[in-house]
């Protein structure tokens, strides 16, 4: 039987570290939204594991609605194409709702800035952003990220939902991609 190479590169953030940080983020979100309902807008595909873990760390007394948007800017490369492609849009109106946009990674900030503009134009009552990862080198789009899991160096990372050319999303940890 042919042996398959399992890992994609060195571990940057372990599954244990992710679990602990996501629990802290959920606790902060619970404190901040007490008495209000949250509409979580998950930006697919990369954030799907983070969303699943994060919303289970929100106090069950806080009503949580879930919507998804499918957005892509990388294509099959390792740098952003700069062009935002919205595939699937959310299904419900957001007017008057408190939105929490959930991303896996903010790199240039282009994606999240465009999504915020779009949802603000639809009349959201408030918009906050939660991202698992933020690139330390980010510049260009000076928008506030309300909940940040980890700031990471300018490396291409995979795992815990993040892919290279649709692979490695199923890794439990975040790894620096070494070319496969
Ligand atoms: C990634 C990530 C963000 C965006 C961040 O999506 O999930 O949406 O890129 O980059 P930016 O801050 O430079 O705009 P990707 O295009 O890889 O799609 P995917 O989530 O479906 O893998």
């Amino acid at each position: 039987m042919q042996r398959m190479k399992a890992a994609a590169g060195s571990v940057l953030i372990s599954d244990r570290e992710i679990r602990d940080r996501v629990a802290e983020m959920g606790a902060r979100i619970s404190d901040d939204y007490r008495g209000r309902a949250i509409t979580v807008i998950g930006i697919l595909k990369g954030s799907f594991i983070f969303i699943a873990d994060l919303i289970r760390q929100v106090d069950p007394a806080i009503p949580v609605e879930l919507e998804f948007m499918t957005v892509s800017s990388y294509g099959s490369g390792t740098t952003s194409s700069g062009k935002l492609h919205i595939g699937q849009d959310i299904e419900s109106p957001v007017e008057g709702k408190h939105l929490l946009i959930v991303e896996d990674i903010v790199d240039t900030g282009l994606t999240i800035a465009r999504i915020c503009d779009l949802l603000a134009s639809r009349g959201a009552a408030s918009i906050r952003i939660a991202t698992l990862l933020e690139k330390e080198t980010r510049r260009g789009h000076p928008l506030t990220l309300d909940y940040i899991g980890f700031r990471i160096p300018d490396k291409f990372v995979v795992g815990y939902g993040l892919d290279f050319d649709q692979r490695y999303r199923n890794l439990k940890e975040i790894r620096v991609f070494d070319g496969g």
Side-chain angles (χ1 to χ4, degrees), residues 12-13 105 132-137 150-157 174:
L12 185 65
I13 309 168
I105 185 164
L132 180 69
L133 306 174
E134 182 194 18
K135 290 264 183 93
E136 284 162 352
T137 49
F150 302 91
R151 291 198 169 87
I152 63 165
D154 189 19
K155 306 273 187 203
F156 193 86
V157 291
I174 306 271

Side-chain angles (χ1 to χ4, degrees), residues 5-24:
K5 195 177 170 201
S10 56
V11 174
L12 185 65
I13 309 168
S14 70
D15 57 340
R16 178 65 196 262
E17 288 173 297
I18 296 171
R19 201 162 48 241
D20 290 351
R21 187 72 185 123
V22 171
E24 288 172 6

Side-chain angles (χ1 to χ4, degrees), residues 18-37:
I18 296 171
R19 201 162 48 241
D20 290 351
R21 187 72 185 123
V22 171
E24 288 172 6
M25 294 175 83
R28 265 200 55 209
I29 290 167
S30 303
D31 286 345
D32 292 351
Y33 282 88
R34 210 154 295 285
R36 286 185 293 171

Side-chain angles (χ1 to χ4, degrees), residues 45-46 71-74 103-105 107-111 163 169:
K45 298 177 189 172
V71 173
S72 175
S73 63
Y74 278 82
E103 264 287 21
D104 52 331
I105 185 164
D107 184 352
T108 63
L110 178 79
T111 306
D163 73 310
R169 293 194 196 274

Side-chain angles (χ1 to χ4, degrees), residues 155-168:
K155 306 273 187 203
F156 193 86
V157 291
V158 297
Y160 194 72
L162 290 90
D163 73 310
F164 170 71
D165 207 7
Q166 303 305 326
R167 265 198 75 188
Y168 307 112

Side-chain angles (χ1 to χ4, degrees), residues 43-152:
I43 310 303
L44 295 175
K45 298 177 189 172
S47 62
F48 78 106
I49 297 175
F50 177 45
I51 297 162
D53 286 346
L54 184 66
I55 63 173
R56 284 179 291 174
Q57 296 297 332
V58 173
D59 186 332
I62 298 170
V64 174
E65 276 183 31
L66 184 58
E67 290 282 344
F68 292 110
M69 279 177 99
T70 307
V71 173
S72 175
S73 63
Y74 278 82
S76 57
T78 57
T79 53
S80 175
S81 68
K83 287 189 211 116
L84 192 72
H85 172 73
I86 296 186
Q88 180 194 308
D89 202 345
I90 55 174
E91 290 177 343
S92 306
V94 294
E95 202 175 344
K97 291 184 176 172
H98 297 288
L99 310 185
L100 179 64
I101 304 175
V102 179
E103 264 287 21
D104 52 331
I105 185 164
V106 175
D107 184 352
T108 63
L110 178 79
T111 306
I112 200 73
R114 295 255 180 91
I115 292 169
C116 281
D117 287 349
L118 177 68
L119 295 173
S121 75
R122 293 180 184 174
S126 70
I127 300 177
R128 288 188 177 200
I129 301 165
T131 185
L132 180 69
L133 306 174
E134 182 194 18
K135 290 264 183 93
E136 284 162 352
T137 49
R138 185 170 73 86
R139 54 185 89 82
H141 289 273
L143 85 171
T144 305
L145 303 176
D146 302 279
Y147 308 97
I148 300 167
F150 302 91
R151 291 198 169 87
I152 63 165

